[in-house]
Structure formats: C-alpha cells, structure tokens
Amino acid sequence: MKPTVSTTASKAVAAALAAGLLMFSAAGRAVDLTVYTAVEAEDLKRYADTFNEDHPDINIKWVRDSTGIVTAKLLAEKNNPQADIIWGLAGTSLLLMKAEGMMEPYRPKGLENLDPKFYDSDPVPSWVGMDAWVAAICYNTVEGAKHNLEAPDSWRDLLKPMYRGHVIMPNPNSSGTGFLDVSSWLQIFGEKGGWTYMDGLHRNIARYTHSGSKPCKLAAAGEIPIGISFAFRGARSKEAGAPIEIIIPSEGIGWEMEASAIIAGTDKLEAAKTLMDWSISRKAMEMYNTAYAVVGYRGIAKPVKHFPPETVSAMIDNDFEFAANNRKRILTEWQRRYDSKSEPKN
C-alpha cells in the first residue's frame, strides 16, 4: 500500500527538522582548544572567562606548568603534538621551538599595534608577545630583622656572608624565571663573571625551587627572608598584606616576555587563529596590565600597584637570541655546578 501524500509530507518535514537540529547542534557546539601555558595558575580562569566574553564558542582546555616543564613537554611531543596553541610561555622557549619547525606562522589581526620587540621579525611571525615579567628580590622585613639582615640593594649584595642560608631562587631547568636570572647574570657580568657570581651566590642559597613564584611566596609566608623571584609575584603578595619589599637590584634586571604561538599541524586552526587575534587585542592587553607593568600593545600600559618606580628603566637590553641559542649549554653547566641544592621534584 502506497503511503498517503500527508504521510509522505510528514516524513519529509520530520527529516528536515532532524537535519536542522543536527546543523544547529553542530553549529552550537563549542570547539575544545588545548592550550599549553605557564601563566600563573590563579589567573587561568580570569583569562578564559574574559576571552569567552567575546568567543563563547571556544572552550579553553588548559595544560599548565612551570616554563621549563612546559617547554620540555612540547619538545618531547614534537612528532606527536598534543597542544593546539601556546598562550603565555617564555619568548626564548618559543624561539627554540621555532628553530625546530614546531610553529604555524600566522600574522594576527592588530599586529601593527604592538611594539616590534614583542613579535617575531619574519614577515609572517611564528610567535607574538603579550607582556613582560621582570626579575626582582622579595625581602621579608620581619624575617630580615629577626636575623639581623640588611635589605640588599644589588645582586652583588647577595654574596655577603650574612645571607648564607637565607636566600632561595628558582632552578632554571624548571623555571623560566630561574633561566631569566641566569641568562641575565651572564649578560650583566659577562660569561666568566656570571659563573663566578653564581658560584658565590650558591654558597648562600638554602635551596633551589622548581617554580619561579615559589621563592617570593616562601618569603611572603616568612619561611625565608629573601626570595629571588619576579616583581609580579611580589606585588601580589604585598597587596595581600605580606611584610615584603620588592627590590630592584642596582645592576639592572633581566626580563622575559610571555608569548603565544600556534602549534603546527593543529586540526583546530581557525579557533587557534581566533585566540591569537584576541591575545593581542587591546582588551587582552588591558587584562595583562592589571598584573604586568609592561605589555606589548603600545601606549596603554598603566603603573601597577607596588611595582617600584624604577622597574621599567632597570630592564637590561636583553639578548633573547643569546639566551635561546645557548639555553641547552647554560642549563647543562648550571645543573653540573649547582643542582645539589635543588628541592626534590614532585
């Protein structure tokens, strides 16, 4: 028996509705984007939420660790990438990965608004910078007084015998801040002088941490008088009421930029490009500027509370190519000389 016209029409309508629902479901489904980062863990939700205000259709799946660990993970995954994009990793790490052919070149919208030192110089850049973090000493005034310590004014001050056992700094193999310190000392004091300086500093070090922010957190908590860390963490701790001073050493301070890049071969390329575009937008840069005094977008940076006024002027003329090209050699030598005081890895 042949179906009636009304039955045939009903089936056609039902099929059309089903197809429409499928298309709606596919269009409405968020894209999951795997994002590797070394951004401070407490900021990840804020970053994702602010991005999703403009792009609710892209779901950020964070994979977060310290700079050295994220860098090592990415290099280990070179032939089988697990990330779609990097959002917030040291520029020197991205230079290293660019040399390995791991980046998908892309010129994000609005690139002309950035200071040129905040992006790759190739016509189609492989990486783009966000902001800069700077080295600093976190000095606990209460613990310092308890141990009859003077507040240090310079990097060389930290070699004084009074500080023996009272200083903590990050391991450069794990921490981008630690590598920033080591590579900047080799530039400030020269290659030979830098290692001589670190030999002297090592005598006063209580231990090396595997996190760049941990030395300042420990100083803020009163567990150590002096933590070599970065100014952002010091400002956050001081704002929370910790009795610390943020000291910018007189010889100058090393610095590093946080940068982003698309991983070559991602099957989420359009979503990754959308995040890259947004990562250098004015809105994103104003978000970074709530914690970082230096951002890539020209002319919008405002002073950050508790950052010493001399912070920006003390930033050295950092040779990122030197740091990236010599990274493996520097880390191997540091490991040979000083790793005996590193805390156990989790």
Side-chain angles (χ1 to χ4, degrees):
M1 179 178 177
K2 291 183 180 180
T4 65
V5 173
S6 59
T7 304
T8 304
S10 295
K11 287 184 177 180
V13 170
L17 283 171
L21 285 170
L22 272 173
M23 289 176 64
F24 176 81
S25 175
R29 190 182 302 128
V31 176
D32 287 336
L33 204 59
T34 300
V35 182
Y36 280 26
T37 189
V39 167
E40 288 292 286
E42 67 207 68
D43 286 330
L44 297 184
K45 185 177 186 302
R46 179 167 63 93
Y47 278 32
D49 287 349
T50 308
F51 170 70
N52 284 146
E53 289 173 3
D54 299 324
H55 300 285
D57 57 331
I58 298 176
N59 179 42
I60 301 292
K61 295 180 67 177
W62 294 112
V63 176
R64 192 267 166 199
D65 216 313
S66 296
T67 300
I69 295 171
V70 174
T71 303
K73 182 175 174 63
L74 283 160
L75 289 169
E77 294 171 356
K78 174 185 173 181
N79 296 322
N80 184 27
Q82 302 300 302
D84 297 305
I85 188 171
I86 298 162
W87 185 14
L89 189 65
T92 48
S93 293
L94 296 188
L95 283 170
L96 186 66
M97 285 179 271
K98 178 189 173 183
E100 296 291 324
M102 296 169 60
M103 307 287 115
E104 177 73 35
Y106 175 61
R107 183 180 178 87
K109 297 172 185 174
L111 188 70
E112 66 278 2
N113 295 316
L114 269 58
D115 184 317
K117 69 174 174 283
F118 274 85
Y119 55 86
D120 184 11
S121 60
D122 287 355
V124 180
S126 292
W127 57 267
V128 177
M130 302 154 49
D131 51 54
W133 82 93
V134 298
I137 296 170
C138 294
Y139 173 71
N140 186 305
T141 56
V142 174
E143 291 302 306
K146 189 184 297 184
H147 293 282
N148 297 313
L149 303 179
E150 301 169 359
D153 292 320
S154 66
W155 292 121
R156 288 193 184 279
D157 278 351
L158 294 180
L159 304 184
K160 293 178 180 178
M162 76 170 83
Y163 298 118
R164 187 154 300 177
H166 296 308
V167 183
I168 285 178
M169 75 163 280
N171 181 322
N173 281 281
S174 307
S175 161
T177 303
F179 184 69
L180 174 160
D181 290 323
V182 171
S183 63
S184 67
W185 291 332
L186 293 173
Q187 294 178 64
I188 291 170
F189 301 122
E191 184 87 15
K192 183 178 178 181
W195 290 114
T196 299
Y197 172 76
M198 285 183 272
D199 287 345
L201 181 64
H202 180 67
R203 289 192 286 271
N204 289 347
I205 292 287
R207 71 181 188 274
Y208 299 101
T209 68
H210 294 293
S211 159
S213 58
K214 191 173 181 179
C216 194
K217 289 179 178 178
L218 293 173
E223 295 186 35
I224 196 80
I226 297 171
I228 298 173
S229 188
F230 55 105
F232 158 78
R233 175 45 54 193
R236 281 275 176 94
S237 298
K238 190 165 184 174
E239 179 67 14
I244 63 170
E245 293 299 326
I246 303 163
I247 297 169
I248 302 299
S250 58
E251 299 96 334
I253 49 174
W255 61 282
E256 174 65 279
M257 73 177 74
E258 290 188 306
S260 304
I262 298 172
I263 299 296
T266 174
D267 60 359
K268 311 283 180 61
L269 184 58
E270 290 309 309
K273 287 181 177 180
T274 297
L275 177 52
M276 280 289 283
D277 291 343
W278 191 89
S279 76
I280 65 165
S281 67
R282 186 183 185 100
K283 183 175 181 177
M285 293 288 173
E286 288 173 345
M287 178 182 73
Y288 308 145
N289 190 214
T290 61
Y292 294 91
V294 181
V295 296
Y297 201 111
R298 288 178 291 199
I300 70 167
K302 297 178 181 177
V304 177
K305 191 176 181 182
H306 301 306
F307 270 59
E310 68 273 21
T311 300
V312 174
S313 63
M315 292 167 65
I316 67 169
D317 185 13
N318 202 358
D319 187 342
F320 290 105
E321 293 289 344
F322 164 80
N325 294 339
N326 292 281
R327 179 184 177 87
K328 184 176 181 180
R329 175 181 66 82
I330 291 169
L331 292 178
T332 299
E333 182 64 13
W334 189 95
Q335 189 89 352
R336 183 185 72 80
R337 289 175 181 247
Y338 313 124
D339 192 50
S340 61
K341 287 188 179 181
S342 291
E343 64 184 10
K345 291 184 178 180
N346 293 332

